[in-house]
Structure formats: C-alpha cells, structure tokens
Amino acid sequence: MPDIASKKRIVIKLGTSTLTHKTGKLNIRRMNNLVQVLADLHNAGKELILVSSGAVGMGMGKLNITKKPDDTPSKQAIAAVGQCELMHIYDDMFSKYSVTVAQILLTKHILTNGLSNVQNTLGKLLEMGVIPVVNENDTVAIDELELKIGENDSLAAMVATIADADILIILSDIDGLFSADPHSHPEAEVIPVVEKIDSKIMEMAGGAGSSLGTGGMTTKLNAAKIATDAGIDMVIMNGKDPYKLYDLFDNKATGTVFLAKGSGNN
Ligand code: GLU
C-alpha cells in the first residue's frame, strides 16, 4: 500500500451524486461535512485541487427541471445557472473556515493547447493558499464536434497529471471497484488494491450509474489509467461519509487504491 498520509498535492473529484440529492438539490449535510474535512486537510498543509461536477445537476435543481434535456442550448444554459450556484456554495461554505476558493473552467481545447497557462495558474493558486475548483466549461464546450471531454473522471485525471499531483481521489456513490456488479451479485466485494489495469479489471466495470452524473465505473477506470500511467496513485471511495477521508490519510484501507505505474509491483 502506498503511504497516503505523506501525500501532499491532492486532486479530489466530487461527483454530482455526492453533492446533491436525487432531486438535484444540494445535499446540505454531506456538503457541510465534506467542506469541513477538506478545510481541515487544507489547514493541515495539504494542497487541494477540487474537480467538481454538479453544474448541470444543480442547475436542474435550481430551475426545477426534473429531466435532463437532450438539446445542447438547454444543457449549456442549465450548466451556466448551476455553475454559478455551485461556486457560490463552495465560496460560502469554505469562507466559514477562512479558506479561499477559485473557479477554473477548462475545455478540451485548452487542455491540449494552453497547458502551461493552466499549469502556472494552478501552481500560483496553490502557492497563494487557495483551493482551485475545476469543472469543464459546459456552457461553451461543444459535444457535437467531439470537443468536449464530457465527464469529470477523465478531467480529474488530466488535472492531476498537469498539476503533478501526488494522488487523485475520486469520491463516488460506490465503495470502490467491486469484484462483480454488486446490484446483481450481492456477494461481490470491494477490491482493495489494483496493481495493474488489465482486461480482467476492465471487465469488472459496468455502465453509467446515476441519472444526474455522467460517469460510471468505465470512466473511472479510464481515469485510473491516465493517472497511474502518469505515476499518480488513484483511490475510488464512497463520498457519502466524508469523514472517511481522515481514515485514508491515516493510512487505513478505504475504497480501491490503483497503484501508480512504476511503484513496485507493476
Ligand atoms: N461537468 C458536468 C457538470 O458539472 C459533470 C460531468 C460529470 O458528471 O462527470 O455538471
């Protein structure tokens, strides 16, 4: 097991299902607990970068829209409303602990063409003691032309790579990677450590989960590939109990750890 307690630069991906109830409205208790733990880790000297989904989910909640529309202008308009709300909530909740946050909206184009600017800005924000909150710029990203990343698991892995992070943590609505689909196989167990993402591991992934988010286990394994190839350990764990992050940083086994390439056994 890697020494997670010693990891300093941490990218944490927060999925829509972690931040909101099924109604699309904010899960206030969970967010309060989460922000408290994150502010505490920040105070303990960790450098945090959040990759947060929720723009579309929260926009839907705010506009009382229950079914995600199919057309691009509606989705982009909803994201514009939700992103604003999302950052307002982070800003408000973190300010209770005197922690400053910043918004970074990225596109696939920027990630492939303007990398050094993003890198420099992330570095400067961390130096200033600020927590950057990253999302895809859903209001301008165009999915028809395949110019959109489309899900934040991969975005988080790309951010971890460009920020030269020590670890990527994906908070999800499942406990980790299961040996089989836990819905149809109640005996399935969480795999604590994955040394290598081979075809057997890829087969364990099912389809996308919640109706508000976009990812599933497949996108998480793709993210794990990007991160571990770049020499970064990755953890998938359940975001429903944010206090479990303390266990993780106390080196107590939590969720599934994907070992960085070149870390010994792979
Ligand atoms: N960027 C999208 C949002 O903020 C989420 C993408 C995802 O769920 O992975 O709503």
Side-chain angles (χ1 to χ4, degrees), residues 139-165:
T139 298
V140 301
I142 310 163
D143 45 5
E144 282 80 2
L145 300 175
E146 290 181 358
L147 288 172
K148 197 169 159 54
I149 302 161
E151 42 81 21
N152 278 0
D153 294 322
S154 303
L155 176 66
M158 291 179 208
V159 169
T161 307
I162 61 175
D164 199 15

Side-chain angles (χ1 to χ4, degrees), residues 118-130:
V118 181
Q119 248 163 349
N120 294 344
T121 309
L122 278 171
K124 188 54 82 179
L125 286 167
L126 293 175
E127 203 184 295
M128 291 170 161
V130 171

Side-chain angles (χ1 to χ4, degrees), residues 78-137:
I78 290 170
V81 171
Q83 182 63 33
C84 188
E85 173 77 354
L86 190 63
M87 284 314 300
H88 168 70
I89 288 163
Y90 279 121
D91 197 36
D92 189 47
M93 287 188 163
F94 273 107
S95 65
K96 193 170 148 201
Y97 303 99
S98 306
V99 174
T100 304
V101 295
Q103 169 182 266
I104 298 191
L105 297 178
L106 296 175
T107 59
K108 200 170 181 179
H109 179 77
I110 291 169
L111 282 170
T112 37
N113 296 289
L115 210 53
S116 60
N117 281 341
V118 181
Q119 248 163 349
N120 294 344
T121 309
L122 278 171
K124 188 54 82 179
L125 286 167
L126 293 175
E127 203 184 295
M128 291 170 161
V130 171
I131 299 184
V133 183
V134 182
N135 197 359
E136 184 163 16
N137 194 343

Side-chain angles (χ1 to χ4, degrees), residues 42-81:
H42 171 84
N43 285 354
K46 305 285 187 197
E47 292 176 335
L48 302 181
I49 299 173
L50 308 185
V51 175
S52 179
S53 305
V56 175
M58 245 172 232
M60 284 169 63
K62 189 148 194 196
L63 295 165
N64 288 317
I65 296 172
T66 46
K67 191 181 169 292
K68 205 192 263 185
D70 294 324
D71 67 295
T72 301
S74 300
K75 281 191 281 190
Q76 297 196 309
I78 290 170
V81 171

Side-chain angles (χ1 to χ4, degrees), residues 208-227:
S210 87
S211 57
L212 293 173
T214 27
M217 198 39 92
T218 311
T219 58
K220 288 174 184 54
L221 290 186
N222 285 339
K225 255 180 178 302
I226 298 171

